Amino acid sequence: MTFGEKVKEARLAMNLSQTELAHLTGISERSLYTYEQLGTLPRKSNIRKLAEALHISVSYLLDDKETDSQSHIDEDIFLAEAREQFGARGAKEAQEVLGRVSSLFAGGELDEQVKDVFFNALMSVYIDSKRNAREKFTPKKYKKDTR
């Protein structure tokens, strides 16, 4: 299934019109039409918005052979949280961490459940480490007054 077909299928499964999806995502109806009907691929930020609004993973949308709409959804949530808390740079670092760790499992025979536990622990450690670093290294003049 193509990107556009997956978007349309997920939109219809949620009983959303293109207009409603446009309002949810901030993407124009015209753009949604081109994604669904003409096979146009959007920029990364719009792919992410669509995945979040439709409750499906980015990897599902981008991989024509992927059939599991929840494939790698935890990673998408992790990257969105990193982006929200630490900006684009934090999200990029988080993506690099995931890429490096994924290579550890290349060709391995680990159970998917074990991989999920490992990735969830890694994501939690990453977020906690970034928060601690922010608290420790942010100059006092930039910290919010908590009195």
Side-chain angles (χ1 to χ4, degrees):
M1 208 184 304
T2 66
F3 176 87
E5 292 168 335
K6 288 179 178 183
V7 168
K8 184 175 183 177
E9 179 181 81
R11 178 178 60 78
L12 294 175
M14 292 182 67
N15 293 318
L16 294 173
S17 67
Q18 284 183 342
T19 303
E20 291 167 325
L21 184 56
H23 288 293
L24 280 174
T25 61
I27 299 170
S28 72
E29 288 180 61
R30 177 181 227 152
S31 293
L32 291 173
Y33 175 83
T34 64
Y35 304 156
E36 290 184 9
Q37 302 301 320
L38 305 178
T40 306
L41 276 179
R43 62 178 83 116
K44 286 181 186 180
S45 61
N46 284 352
I47 294 171
R48 194 171 49 248
K49 288 176 187 177
L50 287 167
E52 288 174 12
L54 297 170
H55 307 292
I56 55 180
S57 71
V58 170
S59 60
Y60 168 72
L61 283 175
L62 293 177
D63 184 351
D64 290 350
K65 295 177 184 165
E66 182 61 63
T67 58
D68 180 5
S69 67
Q70 300 302 300
S71 173
H72 303 288
I73 195 105
D74 291 339
E75 293 173 23
D76 291 350
I77 293 168
F78 166 62
L79 294 173
E81 185 177 346
R83 182 175 293 99
E84 181 180 309
Q85 292 185 29
F86 310 111
R89 187 175 184 180
K92 183 178 179 184
E93 289 173 353
Q95 181 68 55
E96 290 171 3
V97 168
L98 287 177
R100 288 184 188 131
V101 172
S102 294
S103 65
L104 290 174
F105 300 120
E109 296 290 324
L110 277 179
D111 180 305
E112 284 301 316
Q113 189 174 11
V114 172
K115 286 182 187 178
D116 287 344
V117 168
F118 177 81
F119 276 110
N120 286 328
L122 174 74
M123 292 182 257
S124 178
V125 166
Y126 177 81
I127 296 293
D128 289 343
S129 297
K130 291 291 282 185
R131 282 188 192 133
N132 291 338
R134 178 186 279 166
E135 287 178 26
K136 185 174 183 179
F137 297 110
T138 300
K140 287 182 183 179
K141 67 180 181 179
Y142 295 113
K143 289 184 180 180
K144 293 180 181 174
D145 189 9
T146 56
R147 287 185 248 162

